[in-house]
Amino acid sequence: MAWSYGYYTDLNYSYGYYSEMNSAMLRLACLGQAAEPQLREKPIYLELGFGQGVSINMHAAGSAGSYWGTDFNPTQTVEARRLAAASGADLHLFDDSFEELSSRNDLPDFDIIALHGIWSWISEANRKIIVDIIRRKLRPGGIAYISYNCLPGWAPVIPIRELLSLYQDYGDGRMSGPVGMIEGALKFSADIAKAGSIYFQENPVAGQHLEHLMKQGRNYLAHEFLNADWHLGHFSDMVRSLEDAKLSFVGSASLLSGVDALRLSETGRKLVAQIGHPIMRETVRDYLLNRRFRSDIFIKGPRKLSDSEHRDAWHAQVFVLLKPIADIPKKIPCGRGEVELPTEKYDPVIEALSDDGYRPKRVDELLRHPKLQRLEPKDVVEVLTVLTGAGFMGPAQQPSQKVIEQCRALNRHILERALVGMDLHHMASPVTGGGIAMPHMTQLFIRAWNEGRVSPDLLADYVWDFLDRIGERLLNEGSRIESKDENLKQIGIAASKFLKFELPLLEALQIVEPSLSGEIAMRGAMDGGAGAPRMVGEAMRLS
């Protein structure tokens, strides 16, 4: 058999970052379930199938501890090692298969073993090897994080995957290269839908899904649909698969998944509340939400926190905003569509966290804040959980000097790459121990700021010079802006917004070093629009 074991390798995987895999986020998700993992102060972390290595590198740079990982695609391992060399973090990255990794004699016992998505795309034999690795190498009290495609959500669209896979094997695109083959497979499936297919007529969600696939990045589609193995199962199947590894289900790593008030109808909430068994309760949630994807946390021997321990742990938890206060919306997407966040609860918490230059704050400090006196502690905890689950804030730490230096080194590398590519969309924060979303234009602003350009005009000139040098322009509502003056005007609006709203937060997150001339920047910043246009390469780039 080929070294890829049926896994698709003609196109590399996308440069995704997954914040749920951050050890700080995993601890918080366990805290939300009143479960305590037994993790060492400097945990040892293993990621199976790290892709381009963005997540594992962000987490290794931003955390104390040792990080290990494997991805049997050597091209992706080379890319991950480039990032590791930049940060100098404690990383051990291999291109071993799971079978090869399991037979190594130099593996330590791990506090956390994590795998994102890979479970759905590998053979049954490899899934058994992963369970064996977890059984033998995860310490008692350790965390296993597994995200995977699941039923019932995928059930109506399984035949589309079969069409794509068959076209790969027997279609006309075998000589047209990987991207051409994917384009041909999508067109072939669409032609079937247009030819009066009763399947598509009786399953309208399948047609909607096919239209959605047309807009997806081709690298993502290749790895999602064109592997030889494509495993779908129910949540209960996953639980049974992990029984031999002595794992107990704790909860979802996606914090919003557990907030039934936002995701379920009143009737659904009443139904779920009546179900005592956790496996059945989660399964019913999956059916109510028609869930296609799960991110689950299991612990080898979880310890339940007492009420007082649970309360004290929440009070000691530290949070920080991850978005400027002006960018936090009043509505968030949830299971029932967009849900409006009650301003009387959410606004005071957001405002309190933005005080003192976005300084991270403990929950017990927030509870004493004058703006939060009318809120019950349970309401504050719920707001913090929802805002973290929505990506607007996150758990924070007091980083060591070593962690700070590792993040600075990795971020310097990312900013250098911003001059030649747009593939890395995150930068490392020593405060969160992970990655923070960072659009390409913002990366260029940070470069210019680091070079001493502290006014909107100077920042705009820097970005324009970059765009003009590579022959790119901004897009506004899908149309290319050709005029230099109009490009500079729009970049200037974005630059003013960066200086006024984004820079203070980036300093609090220690992605940008605290400025010696912040007063100059604030005086120079004009009010910026919230909807600045994107660069052409950023807009056209396959997501």
Side-chain angles (χ1 to χ4, degrees), residues 160 224 356 358 508:
I160 293 180
E224 181 66 62
D356 196 13
Y358 292 99

Side-chain angles (χ1 to χ4, degrees), residues 321-332 341 346-347 350-351 353-354 358 387 390-393 505:
L321 285 178
L322 305 182
K323 287 185 176 293
I325 189 170
D327 286 349
I328 298 178
K330 302 297 183 183
K331 297 180 180 180
I332 61 171
L341 303 177
Y346 284 80
D347 284 3
I350 294 170
E351 291 167 6
L353 279 165
S354 69
Y358 292 99
L387 291 175
F392 305 144
M393 57 179 288
L505 179 59

